[in-house]
Amino acid sequence: VQLVDAGGGLVQSGGSRELSCTASGFRLDYYAVGWFRQAPGKEREGVACINSRDGTTYYADSVKGRFTISRDNAKNTAYLQMNSLKPEDTAIYYCAADFSPSMVVRSGVNEYDYWGQGTQVTVSS
């Protein structure tokens, strides 16, 4: 069971970036998926989450209107499209999955069992 997140890099302020999270060893269909981030010296925080049943989403206030979470179960992959990036978005971004064949949107760090290795996103001013 593995999650591989990718797509990080250096981007200028105001730019865009798409992160991907590909599952292997299990089907993502029945899993809630979340994207989290951790900046130096700060706690890991939920950024965006999506349930497994109908695509209901949650976004942190700091990213609403700029980030979009989506999933493509046929590709066993989830995505985080990040637009209008700001220097304060700089962090290591992690995807996570939790077996949850329901309408529940899970936004807490402790609600997820499987984690990707993280991908660094750096936004320059």
Side-chain angles (χ1 to χ4, degrees):
V1 174
Q2 189 177 15
L3 290 174
V4 177
D5 36 34
L10 178 64
V11 61
Q12 288 189 332
S13 181
S16 298
R17 200 82 180 180
E18 183 181 68
L19 306 182
S20 64
C21 172
T22 301
S24 63
F26 67 101
R27 293 297 309 173
L28 209 52
D29 305 49
Y30 297 108
Y31 285 73
V33 176
W35 284 97
F36 297 79
R37 68 186 181 187
Q38 189 165 19
K42 295 188 177 181
E43 292 186 353
R44 192 170 299 189
E45 63 173 352
V47 173
C49 308
I50 187 168
N51 72 1
S52 66
R53 186 60 59 88
D54 65 355
T56 300
T57 56
Y58 156 87
Y59 294 96
D61 288 343
S62 57
V63 306
K64 278 181 183 175
R66 301 189 297 122
F67 290 13
T68 302
I69 186 172
S70 62
R71 60 192 301 158
D72 185 340
N73 288 339
K75 294 183 178 180
N76 225 27
T77 298
Y79 303 93
L80 183 68
Q81 176 66 44
M82 305 183 294
N83 298 328
S84 302
L85 282 162
K86 305 174 182 180
E88 51 263 44
D89 294 318
T90 295
I92 300 175
Y93 284 72
Y94 301 87
C95 69
D98 181 71
F99 182 72
S100 178
S102 71
M103 306 286 282
V104 175
V105 180
R106 302 189 180 278
S107 60
V109 171
N110 295 329
E111 296 183 89
Y112 286 84
D113 289 332
Y114 303 110
W115 290 83
Q117 80 284 4
T119 184
Q120 175 74 46
V121 174
T122 302
V123 184
S124 63
S125 57

